Amino acid sequence: MAGSHPYFNLPDFTQPSPSSSPPSLPSNQRCRPSDATKGLLVALLGGGLPAGFVGPFSRMAYQASHLPSLELLICRCLFHLPIALLLKLRGDPLLGPPDFRGRAFLHALLNVLSIGCAYSAVQVVPAGNAATVRKGSSTVCSALLALCLESQGLSGYDWCGLLGSTLGLIIIVGPGLGTLQEGTTGLYTALGYVLAFLGGLALSLGLLVYRSLHFPSCLPTVAFLFGLVGLIGCVPGLFVLQTPVLPNDPLSWSCVGAVGILALVSFVCVSYAVTKAHPALVCAVLHSEVVVALMLQYYVLYETVAPSDIMGAGVVLGSIAIITAQNLSCEKQGQVEE
């Protein structure tokens, strides 16, 4: 029978051909970014990039008006106080629930210490180097604290990214540490690096404390407490330790306003990100602040950027790419909803 021969089984061109596009997945099986992916992207775009402008702007305000770090910290805290209106509108207690109030105040105190050390360090060492030491110490301390206190493990790619980012920071700051001048100038420079390291340590402790806070309106509460604790601690010292100094030109006022706004955005984004991803990975992604600070240090502040700085910044960016690519994954909505 000729009709049954395979060569005669031709398609019927009178019928419409099936669509060549792949069938769409049901709505409950579509992929969406995982929580770790969201946290790292928020840390990168909302935490690291804005924070990279804070150090150079702080240095510009100091160079223009000799504005000390204490005044900068007070101005930054003032930007956090209006969050009290949001808490009042939502009917939440300003200081948080009584069960979490102590840890919330501890988190605020650690962040105030971290920012105070960072602002002090940036006035005696280059902004990029200060950010480098602070972020490097926060990454290493976050990894160690998470392993010891939370028993949170990391994958091999994550460890590779962490070690790579730390290596990049060492490449950036190592030559500067090896050529410290003798005498008073070298002493102040070494003190600046020590303050930057302590600022990173306080930052890692603050992130760990924040992960233990679980109550509604946690993020706006800790943001408000940061401003409150900062003002309570800094305003008395403003009159005891030094003579108050105010910005005396539009450039200084602009820098102070930019520092307050950008730092508030970075604070909120980092606090959100650390609840979604491992704190050590969040700190590693925040190394993008170092790259931004180095660029502004060269193009805006006209400070020298050594070849080792460029090499280290490249290593940092490559490490961030490894960490981000390793954690870029999607989850099926049906699985998440279950």
Side-chain angles (χ1 to χ4, degrees), residues 50 54 75-76 79 254-267:
V54 172
C75 293
R76 174 174 175 174
F79 281 86
S254 301
C255 291
V256 170
V259 166
I261 295 173
L262 292 173
L264 177 59
V265 172
S266 178
F267 180 92

Side-chain angles (χ1 to χ4, degrees), residues 4-323:
S4 62
H5 195 277
Y7 289 106
F8 292 96
N9 293 336
L10 300 177
D12 188 0
F13 293 100
T14 61
Q15 300 295 329
S17 59
S19 175
S20 59
S21 60
S24 59
L25 292 174
S27 59
N28 62 343
Q29 294 184 0
R30 293 176 183 173
C31 289
R32 66 178 183 181
S34 64
D35 286 343
T37 301
K38 294 178 183 178
L40 293 178
L41 291 178
V42 170
L44 175 63
L45 301 177
L49 297 185
F53 290 84
V54 172
F57 284 165
S58 302
R59 193 170 182 87
M60 290 172 62
Y62 176 74
Q63 292 176 347
S65 300
H66 296 284
L67 194 66
S69 57
L70 200 58
E71 276 83 346
L72 277 174
L73 183 55
I74 291 175
C75 293
R76 174 174 175 174
C77 292
L78 291 175
F79 281 86
H80 285 247
L81 295 184
I83 300 177
L85 298 177
L86 175 62
L87 294 173
K88 279 295 184 182
L89 291 176
R90 300 182 58 170
D92 297 321
L94 293 179
L95 305 181
D99 295 340
F100 296 95
R101 194 163 293 171
R103 275 179 286 175
F105 270 99
L106 177 61
H107 171 267
L109 179 61
L110 289 171
N111 275 274
V112 169
L113 292 176
S114 175
I115 301 302
C117 290
Y119 286 171
S120 300
V122 88
Q123 294 181 5
V124 293
V125 298
N129 289 5
T132 298
V133 175
R134 180 169 177 259
K135 293 305 178 184
S137 62
S138 66
T139 302
V140 175
C141 293
S142 293
L144 295 178
L145 288 172
L147 287 174
C148 297
L149 300 180
E150 295 187 349
S151 300
Q152 287 188 325
L154 294 172
S155 67
Y157 285 100
D158 292 334
W159 278 112
C160 180
L162 285 176
L163 294 177
S165 61
T166 305
L167 175 62
L169 300 181
I170 293 175
I171 293 174
I172 293 174
V173 78
L177 290 176
T179 58
L180 288 178
Q181 300 178 2
E182 297 181 358
T184 306
T185 303
L187 179 62
Y188 279 120
T189 304
L191 179 60
Y193 284 118
V194 171
L195 288 174
F197 174 82
L198 294 177
L201 175 60
L203 174 62
S204 62
L205 290 172
L207 293 178
L208 194 63
V209 172
Y210 181 77
R211 287 170 63 89
S212 67
L213 300 176
H214 304 286
F215 60 90
S217 301
C218 177
L219 183 54
T221 300
V222 297
F224 168 72
L225 286 178
F226 171 84
L228 180 63
V229 173
L231 287 178
I232 294 175
C234 295
V235 170
L238 183 65
F239 299 95
V240 174
L241 301 178
Q242 62 184 44
T243 303
V245 178
L246 292 177
N248 54 17
D249 58 358
L251 175 61
S252 300
W253 282 110
S254 301
C255 291
V256 170
V259 166
I261 295 173
L262 292 173
L264 177 59
V265 172
S266 178
F267 180 92
V268 173
C269 291
V270 171
S271 298
Y272 170 82
V274 81
T275 62
K276 302 296 183 181
H278 195 287
L281 299 182
V282 172
C283 290
V285 171
L286 291 177
H287 291 175
S288 57
E289 171 188 345
V290 176
V291 181
V292 176
L294 286 174
M295 294 175 60
L296 294 176
Q297 175 182 325
Y298 180 76
Y299 289 105
V300 178
L301 300 178
Y302 301 106
E303 295 179 352
T304 304
V305 176
S308 59
D309 296 336
I310 300 176
M311 184 186 305
V315 174
V316 168
L317 289 178
S319 303
I320 292 175
I322 292 175
I323 294 173

